Amino acid sequence: MRAEPAHQVRLLDLQEVDTELDRLNHRMRALPEHAQLQQLDARLTQLRDRLAVVETELRDLDREQRKAERDVEQVRMRAERDTQRLEAGHVSSPRELESLQSEIASLARRQSELEDIVLEVMERQENAEERRAALAREVAEAEAERETADNRRSEAVLQLRDELDSATRRRARIAEEIPDDLLDLYRRLREQNAGIGAAALRYGRCEGCKLELSTAELREMRTAPPDEVTRCENCRRILVRVADSGL
Ligand SMILES: [Zn+2]
C-alpha cells in the first residue's frame, strides 16, 4: 500500500486519540461507583425485606395484643358480675355461695395469667419496635450513601463524556485528512492487535510490540520508498518512519 509520508505520520496522531478514547471508555465502564451502587442496592433490598418482616411481626403482635386485652376484659367483667351477685346477698345456699367464691378466685387467677400475656406481648412489641427503628435508621443511612455515590457517579460520567466528546471531535478532524484505504487497513489492524494498528519506528524499535528491528529489517525500512506503507515484521502493525527512527 502507498500513502504520503505526512498521512502516515498523521495516522500516529489518530492512534493516539484512539488510545485516549479507549482509555476514556474503559474508565467509564470501570467507574468504582458502578460497583458501589450495585452493592448499596443489594444492601437496601435486603434491609427493606427485613424491615417488611418486622412490620408484619408488629401487625401480628398488635392483633395478639388486642385479643389478649379483650380476653382480660371478658374475665374482668365476669368476675365483676359475680362479685356484685355475692355482695347483693341474693345467694343464700352455702353450696352456691361456695361455688361463686371459687369461681371468683379462679377468674382472678385467669385474669392474672391473661394480664401476664398482655405484658409479654407488650415486651415483644417493644423489642420489635426497637428492631424496626434500627432497620429504618440503616435504610436511611444506606439511602443517603446511595445518593452520594449516585451524585459522584453522575459527576464522573459528565466529566468523562466531556472528554470523550472532545476526543471524538479531534479524531474526526484527523481522520478526515487520512485516505480511506489507509484508514481501513489501520482499523483492521487495530481490531486484531489490542487497539494498536499503527506505531512509530523510534530508535530502531517498533513502538507497537516494543521489539528492536534486526539490521536487515532496518535496512529494508531505510530503502523502502517514503510513500510505501511499511509494516512491522514481528507484530504486522503499520510501522511509521519518523524523524528519530534511527535509520
Ligand atoms: Zn511491532
Side-chain angles (χ1 to χ4, degrees):
M1 185 180 291
R2 307 252 159 200
E4 276 178 40
H7 289 155
Q8 293 187 39
V9 171
R10 205 66 178 123
L11 204 53
L12 293 176
D13 296 334
L14 190 70
Q15 176 67 71
E16 203 180 301
V17 182
D18 277 338
T19 303
E20 167 81 358
L21 281 166
D22 287 347
R23 193 182 60 81
L24 290 170
N25 279 317
H26 176 264
R27 267 181 59 199
M28 183 76 100
R29 281 192 303 273
L31 279 176
E33 286 82 7
H34 292 320
Q36 206 185 349
L37 282 167
Q38 244 173 11
Q39 274 170 6
L40 282 167
D41 281 341
R43 178 165 164 68
L44 272 168
T45 304
Q46 201 201 34
L47 285 171
R48 288 187 183 122
D49 284 351
R50 280 167 58 197
L51 193 57
V53 169
V54 176
E55 268 159 5
T56 305
E57 195 183 323
L58 273 165
R59 274 195 298 277
D60 291 346
L61 281 169
D62 195 45
R63 258 197 306 278
E64 224 178 300
Q65 175 78 341
R66 271 179 285 139
K67 185 189 175 301
E69 279 168 355
R70 266 198 314 274
D71 291 348
V72 169
E73 186 57 15
Q74 270 173 6
V75 171
R76 198 191 55 76
M77 277 166 68
R78 189 156 162 203
E80 204 177 276
R81 268 199 315 273
D82 285 354
T83 310
Q84 274 168 6
R85 271 182 71 204
L86 193 71
E87 283 168 355
H90 298 319
V91 184
S92 47
S93 129
R95 181 176 290 189
E96 213 181 321
L97 206 61
E98 199 187 316
S99 141
L100 197 57
Q101 281 165 337
S102 136
E103 186 177 282
I104 290 170
S106 133
L107 285 170
R109 278 195 304 275
R110 180 74 188 126
Q111 185 175 339
S112 151
E113 279 165 19
L114 287 169
E115 279 166 352
D116 284 348
I117 292 178
V118 171
L119 284 176
E120 185 247 340
V121 173
M122 273 169 70
E123 267 173 37
R124 278 158 61 201
Q125 273 177 323
E126 272 171 31
N127 172 289
E129 269 158 14
E130 274 167 25
R131 278 183 287 134
R132 175 173 62 186
L135 280 169
R137 261 197 312 277
E138 277 190 80
V139 167
E141 277 164 18
E143 276 170 348
E145 220 178 305
R146 195 198 183 286
E147 200 186 326
T148 309
D150 198 32
N151 288 341
R152 229 175 17 237
R153 175 168 73 176
S154 301
E155 265 174 49
V157 165
L158 274 181
Q159 165 84 31
L160 282 171
R161 274 206 194 119
D162 257 12
E163 290 179 45
L164 276 165
D165 283 351
S166 118
T168 304
R169 281 194 300 272
R170 213 157 61 236
R171 186 195 195 280
R173 281 198 300 273
I174 298 168
E176 258 173 26
E177 299 172 24
I178 300 169
D180 286 345
D181 54 352
L182 186 58
L183 268 185
D184 278 349
L185 176 64
Y186 161 76
R187 200 179 46 237
R188 262 202 330 275
L189 290 171
R190 198 168 112 75
E191 277 165 18
Q192 291 161 13
N193 295 287
I196 298 176
L201 172 67
R202 236 181 270 280
Y203 308 113
R205 211 158 78 121
C206 165
E207 292 211 314
C209 62
K210 314 287 180 199
L211 280 191
E212 304 257 355
L213 270 66
S214 69
T215 315
E217 283 163 355
L218 282 173
R219 191 168 47 241
E220 264 179 52
M221 292 292 286
R222 194 162 45 236
T223 52
D227 66 345
E228 188 183 316
V229 178
T230 41
R231 308 270 293 270
C232 171
E233 289 291 331
N234 179 55
C235 67
R236 301 304 300 150
R237 292 180 172 103
I238 297 167
L239 194 54
V240 181
R241 288 162 286 181
V242 293
D244 47 10
S245 279
L247 293 174

